[in-house]
Amino acid sequence: MKVKIDGVDYTFSIRWKAPKKPYDETWELVSYAKNSTGEKDLSEEQIKKFMDTVNPKMNWNIANFQK
């Protein structure tokens, strides 16, 4: 996934994971890098903010995932 954070282009790899409880995260970070240099220079707070953006806050019906 290509994203721009504070005006800088990054590429993130994220992987789907089935939620285990209501409001659980459904995407997990695999890796990321700054496009221009390949650096991993984001703070934990910046990464968390990005992951909070891509992870919906939904009340998952967990019973549907357990079938």
Side-chain angles (χ1 to χ4, degrees):
M1 172 182 290
K2 306 245 185 231
V3 298
K4 189 171 287 225
I5 298 175
D6 296 334
V8 179
D9 293 320
Y10 289 88
T11 299
F12 279 76
S13 295
I14 56 176
R15 170 180 36 225
W16 166 261
K17 66 176 187 167
K20 295 187 178 358
K21 59 187 179 191
Y23 303 102
D24 202 7
E25 295 178 346
T26 53
W27 293 101
E28 60 187 0
L29 179 64
V30 175
S31 67
Y32 82 93
K34 183 189 285 187
N35 290 351
S36 62
T37 63
E39 291 178 89
K40 295 180 180 182
D41 61 353
L42 293 175
S43 68
E44 289 293 320
E45 184 178 313
Q46 288 170 305
I47 294 169
K48 182 182 180 332
K49 184 176 179 183
F50 168 74
M51 293 305 294
D52 286 347
T53 300
V54 297
N55 276 307
K57 303 295 183 211
M58 297 178 64
N59 186 359
W60 296 101
N61 185 349
I62 300 305
N64 287 342
F65 290 99
Q66 296 173 343
K67 292 180 181 180

